[in-house]
Amino acid sequence: MGDYWHLLLGDRQIRSGKNETPAKLMTVFREEDKYQHAEWARRTDEVNAGGEAGWDWFEEENVDQRERFGYRTTVQTAITRLKLMGFDSERCRQEMIKELEELHVDDPLEELSQDDLEDGLLLLSRPQRRAGSQENCYRVSAEEVISTGVATYLKRAEAPDWEWSKYDEHPDLTELEKLCLSDLDYFTEDPEVDPRPLLALILASQDPQAVLQLDLSDLLDAGYFESSEAVSTEALQQLRDEMASSGPIIVITEGKYDSRVLGRALRLVRPDIASYFTFWDLEETKAAGGTDRVVANLRSFAAAGVMNRVVALVDNDAAGLAALKTLANPVLPKTYVARNLPDLDYARAYPTRGPSGPSLDDINGRACSVEFYFGLDCLIGPDGNPVPIQWTSLNKSVNTWQGELQNKRYVEERIDALLDATEAGQVQLDERWDPLREIAQILIDAAQSR
């Protein structure tokens, strides 16, 4: 036994399942597609809440099963929504053909058992192999299997009174149709296979004005949710959470140089997790950089509903601290996190220049840009001393002076040379890389803080 949902195309049931809300199929519907019999839904909610012992006078059979609770829209609308999600019917057809070929890549074409010969066998045509002569073997291409299988799937759905699980006993199906339908089981019975590609193929040949309906009344009756819940919206959020968990983690930095060198460094110090992070390529996209753009881009991602986890990484300077303060209000989605670069020991007494002349100052939280995190050696200038910081302006938002590294291009060339040498195996990943290991850990922690 179980609590079933049913996907209907007009009067035909084309899919069903049990004991869960079909989240991926729910993406084809929106809350405005919801229908319900108000009294039936209200009393169902009351019974599930323990408010009534039974239905009393309101008999369940008085309400048509198809009018109780669910979602419905037109085939045309469903096709449009599927395309917007990337499920174009022709593209889905080609992907399903490829998957089927991969499933059958090791199918033997020889040494067939007697049972195979008696029961009939479907073999995909593969030109590089020798064709057999067994009369009971149907040799067809993967494309033919998909075409025949989908047509048979719909043919089977026209007879709703017989059991779907016993399609071998369907009186109107040919042996070839049964075999193609059997191969299609991979796309219908494996819970890990997305149901939307097959749905896109099915709907492509249907009347655009026909009704596609998802009957969820059994699930409502079983207390999976209440009638007032936005089931479609919640299903979409569930998929967004899954995408955030499995999709790449996007890292937004202040500039194209930051993105490039941090990406290279991460692959060196943490090759075990580097592939999980994608640094937004400002150079390729021609997007503007700067701390203010990090704030704007992060909010734009949130406004656009980007599902991936996103980490904004800003400098450990006055502008970076001001950016974190700005991003704290309004609150970002839980999958969006902003962090600044960590403090550095050798930045606690670093050469600076200002109105009062040269000095040694703690520049953590005031002037530590990404160039400071590749070790002190990279910061040594042509004169043998660390390239100084120039104080520029007071950031009133955090009441801290902002500083900038002088001769930055010289330092960046030294960093590039260090990365080249390390990637070539000429430099060891010693303690000078500890600041970058700490940055890697900041990214890992930020991606997990949900």
Side-chain angles (χ1 to χ4, degrees), residues 257 408-420:
Y257 182 80
K408 182 180 286 190
R409 183 58 195 148
Y410 170 82
V411 175
E412 290 177 349
E413 289 174 354
R414 290 177 65 85
I415 291 172
D416 287 336
L418 173 65
L419 287 169
D420 290 342

Side-chain angles (χ1 to χ4, degrees), residues 141-172:
S141 66
E143 184 172 2
E144 291 174 296
V145 172
I146 295 296
S147 298
T148 302
V150 170
T152 308
Y153 192 89
L154 286 167
K155 180 179 179 180
R156 182 182 66 174
E158 292 174 352
D161 294 333
W162 55 273
E163 293 185 50
W164 275 45
S165 60
K166 297 181 179 180
Y167 55 76
D168 284 341
E169 301 175 10
H170 194 293
D172 298 326

Side-chain angles (χ1 to χ4, degrees), residues 264-374:
R264 292 176 69 185
L266 187 64
R267 290 191 290 273
L268 289 170
V269 299
R270 289 300 303 269
D272 55 320
I273 52 90
S275 62
Y276 288 86
F277 294 88
T278 297
F279 286 79
W280 195 26
D281 193 340
L282 295 171
E283 189 166 19
E284 182 69 23
T285 60
K286 306 300 181 184
T291 310
D292 58 335
R293 295 312 307 165
V294 172
V295 174
N297 291 331
L298 194 62
R299 286 182 171 167
S300 295
F301 277 32
V306 174
M307 298 181 189
N308 302 65
R309 284 167 289 174
V310 182
V311 180
L313 199 59
V314 295
D315 290 345
N316 184 18
D317 59 10
L321 296 181
L324 295 183
K325 183 178 179 181
T326 300
L327 288 169
N329 189 22
V331 178
L332 291 167
K334 63 181 181 179
T335 54
Y336 288 53
V337 180
R339 294 287 185 268
N340 64 316
L341 298 175
D343 285 353
L344 293 164
D345 287 339
Y346 52 78
R348 300 190 190 284
Y350 193 84
T352 64
R353 292 175 181 171
S356 301
S359 178
L360 291 177
D361 293 304
D362 187 349
I363 62 170
N364 286 303
R366 305 166 76 190
C368 286
S369 58
V370 72
E371 290 82 6
F372 277 81
Y373 293 84
F374 290 81

Side-chain angles (χ1 to χ4, degrees), residues 249-264:
I249 304 156
I250 300 172
V251 182
I252 302 177
T253 62
E254 292 192 20
K256 59 184 180 182
Y257 182 80
D258 301 30
S259 178
R260 178 165 60 83
V261 296
L262 287 176
R264 292 176 69 185

